[in-house]
Amino acid sequence: MSTELLARLQFAFTITFHYLYPPLSIGLGVLLVTIEALWLKTNNPLFHQMARFWTKVFALTFAIGVATGIVMEFEFGTNWATYSRYVGDVFGSALAAEGIFAFFLESGFLALLLFGWDKIGPKTHFLATCMVALGAHFSAIWIIVANSWMQTPAGFHIVGEGLKASAEITDFWAMVFNPSSMDRLTHTVVGAWQAGAWLMVSIGAWYLLKRQHREFARASMKVGLALSLFASVLTLETGDYSAKGVARNQPAKFAALEGLWETTPNAPLHVVGWVDGKAEATHGLALPGLLSWLAHGDTAQPVTGLREIPRDERPPVNFTFQLFHLMVGIGFAMIGLALWASWALWQKTLENSRALLWLLVISVLGPQIANQAGWWVAEVGRQPWIVYKLLRTSQGLSAVVHANQIIASMVMFTLVYLLLFAAFIFLLNEKIRHGPDAADLTPTGKLALGFKDTKGGAA
Amino acid sequence: MNFGSLDLNTVWFALVGVLFTGYVILDGFDLGVGVLHLFAAKRDEDRRVFLNAIGPVWDGNEVWLVTGGGALFAAFPAVYATVFSGFYLAFMLLLCALIFRAVSIEFRSKHASLRWRRFWDRSFALGSFCSTLLIGVAMGNIAWGVPIDERGEFAGSFLGLLHPYALLMGVTTVALFAMHGAIYLVLKTEGELQAGVRARVNPLIIAFILSYVLLTLATLLYVPHVTEAFRREPWFFALVVPVVLAIANIPREVNRGREFYAFLSSCAAMAGLMAIFGIGNYPYLVFSHPLPEHSLTAFNAASSPKTLGIMLTIALIGLPVVLAYSVSIYWIFRGKVRLDKMSY
């Protein structure tokens, strides 16, 4: 295998594993804020119990997110040194801003969220939870700004030539608000909300199936489903914007998403299909005109086909096509499931419908698979470029790193991550089996102050 | 913001130094706790006290490294690229060590089984030890100099990084962090456990001083570009005085039972040591040895003035806020460790 392919595989593996966790932190962050707000508002100890339980789940995902995130920060330099020199002036400042504005905020207030229960009052604790959630969202902003700049570079100029060439910022805000950053940011964030929300729904459904902790499960289900429904619909909306942006800014990627070879008006949209790259043909079930309409709001408008893109600037088509369709398919399934479950909850039939509950239990996989597929589409669809139209992936490698070094580190990461994943699943499973703590229905320490008025009653 | 004629390159050299100093002081004590974990805490409850002493703050401390790395990437991309790709295997081992110690803290007490806890205890201690050693070895190489070719790429090998000077710096760092961690633990523990930790402070100070004296002799004898910096500006030697005083003050404060001042002295000593390290190396970020003309400096490896200016704006807005809430959080978690059911 070539050094390039190995370096790409290593990055893909480490980022894919890492990205199992941040969406959960972002999504659970929003949910924790919601739950604590409900607790402050209603004084219902059930919400205190929920906050404590979900905080522990949050802590578990957060720790692995941090540990695997440091790898990402180092990996730009270790495996992609030439790329790092090329983009450092632009990309680095976004990354540094992420550290200053997001990571410090997140990790600092996390201390209060996790360990501050008896040391600070409920309102301060709520503030800490808000800050952690805000920090998680800030980190999404900066990293997606940086990644979007690689998709649609803006606000820079190139200085130097050949090996010495690099991008320099000319306009910071044009870099931040590059053509794709806001569309991709919103789409990513609502995808992350789904990851957290469906985890909550899934565990709630499990308890309902087992007829355990039913109060707790019902309340979790309500909060989780509300966010699932909201976020799944927004995912469609933001996905539509993102796709229109891709059509505008990255025609090669857009053509690959749908396996479109010939530039044509009335371009078809595939529901399912298979791309034959050699014959330059796409087979499958297609709806005529719909792609033109989605891209431009008009079926008569042409959509650029792959044949107009030079051969050495085309991404792998079938791979991009399949993962894109997987993501979209799951996206629609999640909307359908959210609607169905909400309806059942409304009709009070949810707890008797075992089939639906089982579906909800496995629903946690949906957003995880779709989030990963979406990122694979975004990154593979940009190939052969590492920075679109500026720097090829093959040119971004570390000149001094050899294939055997990458293999050695790959083996290490694979073993370590398998172990981490096993421990994560084991502990999550234990946490779920253990369930919410009955004692948490009675808040202690400074938090108990919230119950002063109802002493003898709730407390 | 417009910073006029300010020498942004030097400012960023200093600021990257400040971020790494923050990292060394803060993660220094929790890595040090890890180094002592297996020796100074034998019972399960004692080990839980150790973990919870650093529990609320360790990941915030690690963010200083992440931000320092980000700042290096942004301000001096050529250094980030050359060092990280050049020290490839060393950094991969460092990452592995950092991952293990991070998740060990989170995982260890979540499952009540002897084998489970023993495994994560060991992984926490070994991860902390290896991280510390590797950080020291990396700093040793930066001070000593590494081979750089005319393209600005690293031209050495992994084994070449493990020369005696770098290893001595590694050992010194382990002793320093262990000392710092022990003082922090004296501050956070009580009773028998505290007495045990307290007894380790003086030997660790002596171990550190011995290795630091050796290291300084080696620097004076074999690292001319660092000595050169002090020969040029002899008043830098004045920095050594407060560092020596701060270290001397540690046993005095520990004996008087004023642990907090002992810890502050230790922090001050580390800040002084980092300042000496930074000034000794300025303007070199990576000194090229044996061909000094290929060195990466604060001037030839930096981003554009515009980016340095934008980042200075970001830092001036961000850092005071970060410092303010970090101090508040340390204040809220002051005092001895009490285990409760939300603890590790």
Side-chain angles (χ1 to χ4, degrees):
Chain A
M1 260 193 273
S2 69
T3 318
E4 182 193 348
L5 189 60
L6 282 168
R8 284 180 62 193
L9 279 176
Q10 170 156 337
F11 200 87
F13 174 66
T14 48
I15 191 74
T16 299
F17 186 77
H18 172 63
Y19 202 66
L20 293 172
Y21 302 98
L24 290 175
S25 304
I26 294 173
L28 286 174
V30 173
L31 291 161
L32 283 175
V33 168
T34 315
I35 291 169
E36 281 201 41
L38 286 168
W39 181 49
L40 280 180
K41 193 163 183 294
T42 63
N43 239 359
N44 181 349
L46 180 63
F47 289 121
H48 176 258
Q49 186 193 36
M50 281 169 72
R52 300 269 275 207
F53 178 86
W54 292 109
T55 299
K56 288 209 159 178
V57 176
F58 179 89
L60 195 57
T61 64
F62 191 89
I64 308 184
V66 171
T68 55
I70 299 177
V71 177
M72 306 321 305
E73 170 110 15
F74 279 42
E75 226 169 17
F76 296 118
T78 53
N79 286 11
W80 305 97
T82 312
Y83 157 85
S84 298
R85 288 194 192 92
Y86 189 88
V87 303
D89 196 280
V90 177
F91 195 96
S93 46
L95 218 59
E98 181 172 20
I100 293 260
F101 293 131
F103 293 152
F104 275 121
L105 194 69
E106 235 178 333
S107 59
F109 284 97
L110 182 75
L112 295 179
L113 169 59
L114 297 186
F115 303 102
W117 295 97
D118 296 336
K119 295 192 186 288
I120 50 178
K123 282 192 181 139
T124 320
H125 194 270
F126 177 64
L127 176 79
T129 311
C130 290
M131 289 297 130
V132 172
L134 196 65
H137 286 77
F138 277 167
S139 71
I141 293 176
W142 290 106
I143 199 65
I144 287 168
V145 162
N147 182 272
S148 295
W149 186 85
M150 292 161 66
Q151 311 278 352
T152 53
F156 71 100
H157 66 156
I158 300 293
V159 289
E161 272 175 32
L163 282 172
K164 290 275 172 201
S166 70
E168 273 185 9
I169 292 189
T170 52
D171 180 344
F172 181 72
W173 295 110
M175 185 276 283
V176 172
F177 293 100
N178 66 66
S180 65
S181 61
M182 291 303 120
D183 290 340
R184 300 178 71 241
L185 173 65
T186 46
H187 192 54
T188 310
V189 166
V190 292
W193 289 356
Q194 286 209 59
W198 288 107
L199 177 69
M200 189 171 277
V201 169
S202 162
I203 295 177
W206 174 255
Y207 287 147
L208 290 179
L209 268 176
K210 297 277 150 191
R211 306 194 179 280
Q212 295 167 334
H213 317 295
R214 291 168 80 173
E215 277 297 300
F216 172 89
R218 266 184 225 120
S220 294
M221 188 71 111
K222 270 184 205 155
V223 177
L225 259 184
L227 185 63
S228 299
L229 186 61
F230 180 63
S232 61
V233 174
L234 277 184
T235 306
L236 178 64
E237 175 78 6
T238 54
D240 179 48
Y241 285 133
S242 281
K244 284 192 166 78
V246 175
R248 231 176 8 252
N249 303 314
Q250 294 173 282
K253 185 195 277 184
F254 192 74
L257 295 180
E258 278 300 326
L260 186 73
W261 293 93
E262 211 53 72
T263 301
T264 167
N266 206 23
L269 181 82
H270 282 86
V271 179
V272 287
W274 190 262
V275 182
D276 185 342
K278 278 217 177 82
E280 301 199 344
T282 305
H283 315 285
L285 177 63
L287 306 168
L290 205 54
L291 189 61
S292 289
W293 184 76
L294 278 175
H296 305 293
D298 177 3
T299 53
Q301 289 273 344
V303 176
T304 310
L306 284 159
R307 288 206 186 94
E308 259 184 62
I309 316 283
R311 254 172 219 284
D312 67 346
E313 293 182 16
R314 292 179 195 167
V317 184
N318 193 38
F319 189 87
T320 312
F321 178 99
Q322 298 304 342
L323 285 175
F324 176 69
H325 284 78
L326 179 67
M327 173 186 79
V328 174
I330 293 174
F332 277 105
M334 297 330 282
I335 297 176
L337 189 59
L339 283 171
W340 182 16
S342 304
W343 173 255
L345 195 69
W346 180 264
Q347 295 293 308
K348 302 202 187 306
T349 56
L350 179 63
E351 284 176 56
N352 305 322
S353 169
R354 293 189 70 82
L356 177 55
L357 285 177
W358 270 114
L359 260 182
L360 292 176
V361 168
I362 58 165
S363 71
V364 64
L365 298 175
Q368 288 287 1
I369 296 170
N371 283 338
Q372 300 288 0
W375 272 108
W376 281 67
V377 167
E379 297 299 287
V380 174
R382 192 192 56 235
Q383 301 302 323
W385 306 101
I386 190 165
V387 181
Y388 189 58
K389 294 272 192 187
L390 289 178
L391 187 71
R392 283 175 186 270
T393 309
S394 55
Q395 298 167 323
L397 292 163
S398 295
V400 299
V401 174
H402 306 296
N404 51 3
Q405 289 174 307
I406 304 180
I407 292 173
S409 58
M410 273 281 264
V411 171
M412 180 192 84
F413 278 124
T414 310
L415 294 176
V416 172
Y417 283 7
L418 282 176
L419 177 69
L420 286 196
F421 190 67
F424 169 73
I425 294 294
F426 172 75
L427 288 176
L428 185 64
N429 182 47
E430 277 221 328
K431 186 76 217 143
I432 295 169
R433 276 169 189 279
H434 180 267
D437 232 322
D440 283 340
L441 285 171
T442 330
T444 54
K446 288 196 177 175
L447 288 179
L449 292 177
F451 290 84
K452 243 182 188 164
D453 302 339
T454 54
K455 220 174 193 173
Chain B
M1 227 187 275
N2 186 2
F3 295 101
S5 62
L6 190 65
D7 179 1
L8 286 167
N9 296 63
T10 303
V11 168
W12 269 102
F13 183 91
L15 270 178
V16 168
V18 166
L19 288 169
F20 282 113
T21 304
Y23 175 70
V24 166
I25 291 177
L26 294 171
D27 217 28
F29 74 74
D30 62 50
L31 284 165
V33 170
V35 172
L36 298 169
H37 189 67
L38 293 181
F39 310 107
K42 296 284 187 197
R43 296 181 309 151
D44 182 59
E45 200 189 309
D46 294 347
R47 290 188 173 170
R48 287 189 61 203
V49 170
F50 272 29
L51 289 176
N52 284 286
I54 60 170
V57 293
W58 70 268
D59 60 359
N61 296 344
E62 212 149 270
V63 170
W64 288 84
L65 176 66
V66 174
T67 306
L72 191 66
F73 189 0
F76 305 107
V79 174
Y80 172 80
T82 299
V83 172
F84 282 45
S85 62
F87 295 5
Y88 191 85
L89 285 179
F91 271 120
M92 288 300 158
L93 290 175
L94 175 62
L95 285 174
C96 187
L98 285 172
I99 291 174
F100 268 108
R101 73 175 291 272
V103 299
S104 301
I105 301 172
E106 181 66 32
F107 288 173
R108 185 217 177 252
S109 302
K110 287 222 159 37
H111 180 63
S113 126
L114 198 62
R115 279 174 59 196
W116 173 272
R117 291 195 173 176
R118 199 177 285 158
F119 176 82
W120 292 112
D121 276 336
R122 284 177 186 163
S123 118
F124 173 57
L126 195 66
S128 303
F129 174 79
C130 292
S131 309
T132 310
L133 186 71
L134 286 165
I135 289 167
V137 169
M139 287 180 68
N141 275 293
I142 295 294
W144 181 262
V146 291
I148 303 284
D149 68 15
E150 68 286 350
R151 297 167 302 165
E153 298 277 11
F154 176 68
S157 65
F158 174 63
L159 289 177
L161 297 174
L162 303 176
H163 51 80
Y165 182 81
L167 292 175
L168 182 57
M169 181 82 100
V171 171
T172 310
T173 311
V174 172
L176 177 66
F177 284 13
M179 169 193 101
H180 194 47
I183 299 164
Y184 179 77
L185 283 170
V186 173
L187 188 63
K188 302 301 281 185
T189 55
E190 51 197 341
E192 229 175 282
L193 184 59
Q194 191 194 34
V197 180
R198 195 194 293 269
R200 285 171 199 273
V201 173
N202 284 343
L204 285 168
I205 294 176
I206 293 167
F208 166 69
I209 290 175
L210 282 181
S211 47
Y212 191 67
V213 167
L214 271 180
L215 185 71
T216 308
L217 283 177
T219 309
L220 292 174
L221 286 174
Y222 301 112
V223 195
H225 75 274
V226 173
T227 14
E228 185 56 38
F230 285 96
R231 205 168 293 152
R232 231 176 19 239
E233 302 281 352
W235 62 270
F236 287 153
F237 275 112
L239 266 175
V240 179
V241 179
V243 172
V244 171
L245 287 179
I247 292 176
N249 191 40
I250 296 168
R252 183 169 152 263
E253 301 287 5
V254 170
N255 290 339
R256 285 184 177 181
R258 301 204 303 190
E259 291 95 5
F260 180 66
Y261 290 99
F263 183 65
L264 279 189
S265 299
S266 180
C267 293
M270 289 172 92
L273 290 171
M274 287 296 284
I276 292 173
F277 183 84
I279 289 170
N281 282 291
Y282 180 82
Y284 299 112
L285 282 150
V286 183
F287 184 75
S288 173
H289 181 85
L291 297 167
E293 64 272 23
H294 294 154
S295 296
L296 302 176
T297 69
F299 300 92
N300 71 9
S303 285
S304 63
K306 174 147 183 113
T307 290
L308 295 178
I310 292 168
M311 286 183 22
L312 187 55
T313 312
I314 292 175
L316 288 177
I317 299 170
L319 270 182
V321 181
V322 169
L323 286 176
Y325 63 66
S326 300
V327 170
S328 326
I329 287 161
Y330 272 88
W331 172 252
I332 290 170
F333 288 101
R334 71 193 180 280
K336 307 292 178 190
V337 175
R338 298 263 177 278
L339 296 179
D340 63 37
K341 61 182 174 145
M342 294 306 271
S343 300
Y344 285 130

